[in-house]
Amino acid sequence: MNRREFLAGSMSLAAAAAAPGDPIGTGIIGTGNRGGHLWRSLLKLDGVKLLAACDIKPDRLDQALSAASRDNPMGYADYRKLLERNDVDAVFIASPCDLHVEMAIAALQAGKHVYCEKPLGITAESIGRLLKVAADSKTVFQVGQQMRYSPQLQETVAKVRDGVAGKLMMVKAQRHAGNDLSHSGPSADWFFDARRSGDVIVEMAVHNLDVCNWIVGARPDQAAGFGGVNLWVNQPPGRTSMDGYTLSYEYANGVKMSFTQVFFHPGGMPGGGQYFYAYGTKGAVDVSNARFYPLERGKEAQVLSTASGRGGEPQLAAFYECIRTGTKPLADVKIAAVAALTAILGREAIYQKRVMTWRELGVEVELG
Ligand SMILES: NC(=O)c1ccc[n+]([C@@H]2O[C@H](COP(=O)([O-])OP(=O)(O)OC[C@H]3O[C@@H](n4cnc5c(N)ncnc54)[C@H](O)[C@@H]3O)[C@@H](O)[C@H]2O)c1
């Protein structure tokens, strides 16, 4: 029995595990910056065959096809044609954010295992639709919330959740850059259009907000904030995505979270970059640096993890492991839905200049 026949006879995710030894036929939709990087990373994995790539930009498609010449993949301009391939079992989606839901639903309905880039979606309504389709499907669905795969973050967050800093009271996080993304680069045709990207909070900060939810172990109940285009006004022309905002969230257990993102933090000024501080009744944890700082005077800081931080793409091997073993991925559809909805909640609070509640999103989904 080959792996396809094996899969065809399967009724559950556990049974849908790939037959050992068979390479897993893989395709990709969107071979731009992120997709090109993922595609090249896949070449380093054992047991993966790169059979098909799709992009509407011929130059980017050609680059992907040449990079994977080892496996002689076919190129497509229409992603539906790629999904018709019976020998393609796993599909990566790395298209602009507004296309994720439509492509992910089509891939799941074609019976594929799916690795969809973050954000899961850019509207609450479309995320609700995708959640329903994913719940009915038997294949693996993993999302590119790869911070969940950092061993250092895993160990540190586990210790915060175990109470190393006492009872968690507040989380403070930021993502500050010294410059804007390229105004003339190949992704500028969608990135600065909030209707396509979901705005920068959904497109980028979905990673940071996911880690905040992970630390708290829940999704927020409400959000309020302010932001807009402050410095890079009409650059590039027609820009609708923000370049700076500040947000506050509150969780059902009373934990407060504060988050800012700017694209004008001078490189020479301290305090830039990204961090997550978790404040508890006994002290605070610098989560990115895996350090606990006790409130008690004279007590030394404690190292919470010596595991490696970010590096490589461990989530890719993990995706194929899930396919082979029929197990659920760490960054599953629920985690990704909650992360994207948290960002959408913040975005809508900023746009509408009022406190927005989770209930108003109209999608019932919880972590865990
Ligand atoms: N997980 C991460 O850390 C991470 C990092 C960067 C980007 N991303 C995500 O990856 C996605 C792509 O971002 P990017 O920076 O690579 O953008 P990009 O513009 O470089 O690449 C997107 C590609 O999709 C192609 N495309 C557009 N419409 C298509 C269609 N209908 N069919 C097939 N291909 C189509 C474009 O031609 C382009 O080549 C975004 O959702 C982004 O948020 C994730």
Side-chain angles (χ1 to χ4, degrees), residues 141-312:
F141 189 90
Q142 185 172 319
V143 183
Q145 303 276 170
Q146 70 269 9
M147 289 179 92
R148 294 268 176 171
Y149 293 80
S150 151
Q152 188 192 53
L153 276 177
Q154 286 170 353
E155 289 185 17
T156 307
V157 171
K159 288 187 179 163
V160 174
R161 299 268 294 269
D162 281 349
V164 71
K167 186 174 178 304
L168 187 65
M169 301 180 295
M170 289 186 93
V171 176
K172 191 171 187 304
Q174 74 167 38
R175 183 168 186 153
H176 286 192
N179 207 344
D180 209 7
L181 264 84
S182 166
H183 293 163
S184 55
S187 315
D189 56 350
W190 63 272
F191 182 83
F192 298 99
D193 179 351
R195 284 166 311 175
R196 299 216 60 199
S197 67
D199 212 327
V200 73
I201 180 172
V202 178
E203 201 278 338
M204 271 187 165
V206 70
H207 281 306
N208 308 68
L209 297 171
D210 177 44
V211 174
C212 294
N213 287 340
W214 187 15
I215 292 168
V216 182
R219 51 120 178 119
D221 251 5
Q222 48 185 347
F226 296 94
V229 192
N230 302 273
L231 176 64
W232 304 103
V233 179
N234 210 28
Q235 295 176 65
R239 174 198 191 113
T240 49
S241 78
M242 299 185 283
D243 63 5
Y245 61 87
T246 172
L247 267 171
S248 298
Y249 289 89
E250 189 176 47
Y251 292 78
N253 60 4
V255 173
K256 321 287 185 272
M257 189 255 280
S258 150
F259 181 74
T260 57
Q261 181 171 19
V262 306
F263 290 85
F264 40 73
H265 189 111
M269 186 173 87
Q274 304 185 40
Y275 66 69
F276 307 90
Y277 296 154
Y279 295 91
T281 48
K282 293 184 190 162
V285 175
D286 176 348
V287 175
S288 314
N289 290 309
R291 295 278 190 293
F292 167 52
Y293 296 87
L295 266 176
E296 203 178 320
R297 284 189 171 219
K299 274 211 161 179
E300 297 239 323
Q302 194 183 318
V303 176
L304 298 181
S305 168
T306 52
S308 70
R310 298 172 73 178

Side-chain angles (χ1 to χ4, degrees), residues 33-34 55 60 95 100 117-118 144 146 187 190 203 207:
N33 290 328
R34 184 63 182 168
D55 204 295
R60 292 186 134 189
S95 53
H100 290 180
E117 262 310 340
K118 47 50 60 171
Q146 70 269 9
S187 315
W190 63 272
E203 201 278 338
H207 281 306

